[in-house]
Amino acid sequence: MKADALRGHLDPMILAVVEHEPLHGYAIMEALLERSGGELDLPTGTLYPALRRLERAGYLASEWSTVGGRKRRTYQLTSAGSKMLASGKQEWLTFRAVVEGVLRPREA
Amino acid sequence: MKADALRGHLDPMILAVVEHEPLHGYAIMEALLERSGGELDLPTGTLYPALRRLERAGYLASEWSTVGGRKRRTYQLTSAGSKMLASGKQEWLTFRAVVEGVLRPREA
DNA sequence: GGCAACATGTAGCCAATCTACGCATCAAGC
DNA sequence: GCTTGATGCGTAGATTGGCTACATGTTGCC
C-alpha cells in the first residue's frame, strides 16, 4: 500500500480505534495493525504527531499514567471526536462511492 | 469530501477514465465529474499537472490535435499504464479492506 | 460588446505522511 | 553483567501532490 494513500483517512481510523476503549499510543499502533490484518504498520513519526494534532483539535483527550515503570499517555475520544468520527465514516462512504464509480463504471 | 483524501488515488482514476477511449484533459475532467455523480470536480491546477506526471512516468501518451479551432491534447493509455491501472485497482481493494477493517470492526 | 463554455497551462502554498533520529524502561538470553 | 528486543514517547526535516490563483486564447450566443 502506497504511503500517502492514507492521506486524510488516518484520522477517522485513529478515532475509531479508541471509540470503545481509551488506549495509549503504542496500543493504538498495535490495534491498527491487528484490525488491518497486518497492513497498517504506522511509523511512530506518523502516529504521535497525528495524536497530538487530534488532541489539539479537540477530538481526543489524553492522560498520563505509569504502568510497570513505563509512562503511558492514554487517549480517549471526546464528544467532539465522536461527532468527527461519525462524519468521517460518512465521508468514507462518499469517498468510496466516488472512487468506485470512476474505477469501475463497467466492471471491477 | 476533503481535499487531500484523493492523495494517491487520483492516478488510477485518471487512468481508468482513458482506459477504453483516449480523451483530452477537459473531457477527462468532465468524465470524472460524471462518473463520480458530480462529486469529483477537479481544478485544472490539479488535473493538468497530474496528466503531465503520468505521461512523464510512461503511463500515458499524448497527441495534439485541433478541433473547431481549439487545440486539444489527447491522452491515451500505454501498456505500462494499463498494468499500472490494474495494480491500482488491486491496491484500491486492499486499501478499502484496510480502512473498513479499522473503521467498523463491530459494525458500520 | 460581453459573457459562458471550451481548452491548456504554470507558480507557489500547504499539510500530512515519511525517514531517521534520540531517549528511557523492562525482560530474556547468554 | 551485558546485550538485544519489545515497550513506550517524542522531534526534525524532507517529500509530495493536491490546492488556490493566475495567465492565455478560442468559439458561440445574447
Side-chain angles (χ1 to χ4, degrees):
Chain A
M1 204 175 57
K2 271 190 238 105
D4 50 21
L6 271 185
R7 279 277 183 152
H9 303 285
L10 184 58
D11 289 8
M13 284 195 269
I14 291 175
L15 297 180
V17 156
V18 296
E19 185 178 13
H20 296 109
E21 44 173 2
L23 293 173
H24 62 284
Y26 196 83
I28 291 171
M29 274 174 47
E30 286 182 322
L32 288 170
L33 192 62
E34 191 215 325
R35 290 198 194 185
S36 66
E39 290 283 338
L40 195 56
D41 193 7
L42 283 190
T44 67
T46 295
L47 181 65
Y48 290 113
L51 289 172
R52 297 180 137 283
R53 180 163 38 81
L54 289 168
E55 185 174 22
R56 227 169 31 241
Y59 302 135
L60 292 178
S62 72
E63 201 175 321
W64 284 97
S65 61
T66 303
V67 177
R70 283 172 180 124
K71 285 195 172 184
R72 290 175 173 177
R73 190 171 190 167
T74 302
Y75 291 88
Q76 63 177 322
L77 206 60
T78 64
S79 60
S82 185
K83 281 175 201 159
M84 192 54 176
L85 174 57
S87 86
K89 283 179 179 176
Q90 197 51 52
E91 265 182 54
W92 164 253
L93 294 178
T94 303
F95 178 73
R96 189 183 73 179
V98 166
V99 173
E100 301 199 336
V102 173
L103 236 42
R104 45 191 177 98
R106 300 166 209 260
E107 92 297 319
Chain B
M1 202 175 59
K2 271 191 239 103
D4 50 21
L6 271 184
R7 280 275 185 149
H9 303 286
L10 183 58
D11 289 8
M13 284 195 266
I14 292 175
L15 298 179
V17 156
V18 296
E19 185 177 13
H20 295 108
E21 44 172 2
L23 292 173
H24 61 285
Y26 196 83
I28 291 172
M29 272 174 48
E30 286 182 322
L32 288 171
L33 192 62
E34 191 216 325
R35 289 197 194 186
S36 66
E39 290 283 339
L40 195 56
D41 193 6
L42 284 190
T44 68
T46 294
L47 181 65
Y48 290 110
L51 289 173
R52 298 181 137 285
R53 181 162 37 83
L54 288 169
E55 186 174 20
R56 231 173 23 245
Y59 302 135
L60 292 178
S62 73
E63 202 175 320
W64 283 97
S65 62
T66 304
V67 177
R70 282 176 181 123
K71 287 195 171 181
R72 289 176 172 176
R73 189 171 191 167
T74 301
Y75 290 90
Q76 63 176 322
L77 207 60
T78 64
S79 60
S82 184
K83 281 175 202 157
M84 192 54 176
L85 174 55
S87 86
K89 284 178 179 174
Q90 197 51 53
E91 265 182 55
W92 164 253
L93 294 178
T94 302
F95 178 73
R96 190 183 72 178
V98 166
V99 173
E100 302 199 336
V102 173
L103 236 43
R104 46 192 178 95
R106 299 166 210 258
E107 91 297 320

